[in-house]
Amino acid sequence: MSPQKDPTDKALPRKRERLTRELVLSAALRLVDAEGLDALTMRRLGQELGRDPMGLYRYAANRAELLDGVSELVLDELAITPDAPDWQAQLRRIAHDLRLLALRHPNVVPLLVTRPLSTPLGLRPLGTLRPLEQILSLLIDAGFAPADALHVYRAYYGYLYGHILNELQELIVDPDENEALLRLGLHRLPPKEFPRLRALAPVLATYDGAAELDQGISILLSGLSAHLSPPGSQPLG
Amino acid sequence: MSPQKDPTDKALPRKRERLTRELVLSAALRLVDAEGLDALTMRRLGQELGRDPMGLYRYAANRAELLDGVSELVLDELAITPDAPDWQAQLRRIAHDLRLLALRHPNVVPLLVTRPLSTPLGLRPLGTLRPLEQILSLLIDAGFAPADALHVYRAYYGYLYGHILNELQELIVDPDENEALLRLGLHRLPPKEFPRLRALAPVLATYDGAAELDQGISILLSGLSAHLSPPGSQPLG
DNA sequence: ACCTGAACACCGTTCAAGT
DNA sequence: ACCTGAACACCGTTCAAGT
């Protein structure tokens, strides 16, 4: 919801300033972005804020809730405007926004995909359910029957998260290396067992995530159009 | 690769039997299945095996490698036969197999989606790369150009993992409750803010994951056929 | 009523001391 | 050369003692 934050804004809270949940969570996010999930411990976060770690339990009941809070904070960066003129264009834009958000906060992605697995839908932090509600709204307003909107959402969000996981996995091991095999560390694979993968090194090394996502969304939207015949727009493909 | 294991087989190794990596990993998997990822600690696993925890470092250099080993062990249950008569049917079957595997080992799913994010492609455990290699083989043998095979793989595997994450998220909070809203805990959501989601409670409560996956795969395959015009099979839809 | 920090029951991992 | 377990540097969380 809230737009891009000025990074210097509320960065390190004044020494004796009163803490707020926002302050605690944004410090937690900074820590995760900079050093990874494992670095986010109650004690370390307390140290980062210049406070007794025990004081943090006022803002998150336990570490799991702290992690949920970080998820919420990040998803809050995603803007979904329900009054969409064109639902397909809207879904495409949201997909690209979420992709960029994931690239901005790669260390948070495991949280986004993993935390919901340990909490039933209705007990999840509201901030993480808002995108779901808003996309359903978007689709229903565009004329889908609610049950169809749910199917579209599932296929869309499923593919979207799948793509993000795929893209983040194909990280470069050594960007200075200009031999494709070496850039991805693929030379470590036994050639007999992995001929296809090794042969694809040059293709893998020049991966264009935005283009791939865009094409995937196109495929999905055209498939969905063919199967669900959405209102107000003729099926593609 | 190896078929379903007899659960009593190599369950608890004889007290002073020599440990093997297989024995250690299957004990680790049992622990994760029964009590979740957090229960898998070096000390607890040592206790489970009746051994000094330090001895485990002979079979996994550290906890991260132990987690990778569990991922490998689970993915090993997935059979991919490269000599496929019909690549579409094959992809569909693999999707259902992986779905069932995820339902059998829900606590391992976070590992499957998360571990690859912290290791470059070429340095990953071979067991986790084998499905990728085999699916590429399958597609290339079916006539796809290697680069196209990679695109198909990405769209397919992305959607597949996305679906699994979606499905595992929609767990029932109280199976004995027959009011849909309560089954999912959706009554906890503020009605003003989440009208769509609450209204969909009955649909959510009767989720059929296998059917949804099957339909999603159909949509994807028809979309892929339209965009990539694979050899030896006319485009669907 | 709030804040503080000592204490408890754990972690992963190193490494010296045994065999 | 291998195995063992003491020791180190951490964890999350509880709760009694202070204010």
Side-chain angles (χ1 to χ4, degrees), chain B residues 94-103 163-164 167 209-210 213:
Chain B
I94 295 170
H96 283 287
D97 282 357
L98 188 65
R99 170 177 175 269
L100 291 175
L101 192 145
L103 292 178
H163 167 85
I164 287 171
E167 184 173 351
L213 174 62

Side-chain angles (χ1 to χ4, degrees), chain A residues 41 43 54 63:
Chain A
T41 67
R43 289 159 127 105
M54 298 305 109
R63 183 165 187 266

Side-chain angles (χ1 to χ4, degrees), chain A residues 66-97:
Chain A
L66 190 65
L67 296 178
D68 276 336
V70 172
S71 289
E72 275 189 287
L73 190 62
V74 166
L75 282 179
D76 211 41
E77 291 180 27
L78 191 67
I80 300 180
T81 50
D83 54 334
D86 175 353
W87 65 275
Q88 298 208 2
Q90 191 73 191
L91 289 188
R92 195 181 293 273
R93 184 197 53 77
I94 294 170
H96 283 287
D97 282 358

